[in-house]
Amino acid sequence: MPQEKILYLEHDRTLTYSNGTLVQSSVSDVKELFAGAVVPLALLTIYTLKLPNHLSEEEQKIHVEIQMFEEGKLNNNEEYVIDYIRHDLPTENSYLFEVFALSHAKAADYFSAALSQSKVIDLITPGFMVYESLYETDSLPKHNDLFIYLGEDESYAAIYQDGTYIAHRSSESLTTLAVETGMDLGTFICNLAELGVIEERYPPD
């Protein structure tokens, strides 16, 4: 069952999620609640690889970690959390792995202010994975969906098939797009909110 109340860590503060809303966390919440966080894609090393499907779970983990250091160019002098999403390729008798590596040092630096309040992060995930919770809580029927996130620091699209994550693609952040259009960020966001993403709605200038 989904957690009814959890502690949500941003990079500089802690919030409590309860009944669909986020509020400032109390001292007891920080001490007692399950803590989760969304990690920016910029902090992740993401690499895709294939492995034969006859390998055991343990062999898969070993091969994934080795290839992440050898081909994904991880730093041998750093410690990482490495996890992956596995997609079955039955016609090729293999699996496709989308692998994510997060440096302990980068995570500790990014969440340093929040971790001064909550010493532990129980679950950390990329933003494009949080949409899965919509299906788990029956907020959304399990169809084929495209989620588009536009943020000041990062933007991406996430594809779900029958409620299961399939793939994501990063795109330019709102800050980058504002610079490219010659607008300040506030004006750009206001125009985007008013006119949307259809080019024909915008004046030629």
Side-chain angles (χ1 to χ4, degrees), residues 62-128:
I62 293 171
H63 280 277
V64 165
E65 185 165 335
I66 290 173
Q67 290 196 39
M68 280 300 288
F69 277 94
E70 291 183 349
E71 301 173 20
K73 304 189 184 304
L74 297 186
N75 187 337
N76 289 319
N77 296 317
E78 287 194 51
E79 292 186 40
Y80 296 86
V81 174
I82 299 175
D83 206 350
Y84 56 80
I85 298 169
R86 187 180 68 189
H87 303 282
D88 191 11
L89 301 175
T91 59
E92 301 181 25
N93 295 318
S94 62
Y95 293 121
L96 179 69
F97 292 81
E98 187 174 3
V99 190
F100 311 95
L102 175 63
S103 160
H104 286 195
K106 289 182 178 179
D109 181 62
Y110 181 79
F111 291 107
S112 59
L115 287 171
S116 67
Q117 304 172 56
S118 174
K119 302 302 181 184
V120 176
I121 302 177
D122 297 295
L123 174 68
I124 192 165
T125 185
F128 54 79

Side-chain angles (χ1 to χ4, degrees), residues 1-61:
M1 292 290 291
Q3 296 279 341
E4 293 184 0
K5 190 176 182 182
I6 64 170
L7 189 69
Y8 174 64
L9 274 66
E10 294 188 337
H11 76 281
D12 58 352
R13 62 176 178 166
T14 61
L15 299 169
T16 297
Y17 176 84
S18 178
N19 297 321
T21 61
L22 287 167
V23 297
Q24 191 65 39
S25 299
S26 65
V27 174
S28 61
D29 284 348
V30 171
K31 290 181 178 180
E32 298 171 6
L33 293 181
F34 180 92
V38 173
V39 62
L41 299 187
L43 295 188
L44 295 174
T45 299
I46 302 175
Y47 188 70
T48 302
L49 57 93
K50 284 184 184 180
L51 291 174
N53 60 10
H54 62 76
L55 298 175
S56 68
E57 293 283 345
E58 188 61 30
E59 288 173 325
Q60 291 172 23
K61 292 178 182 178

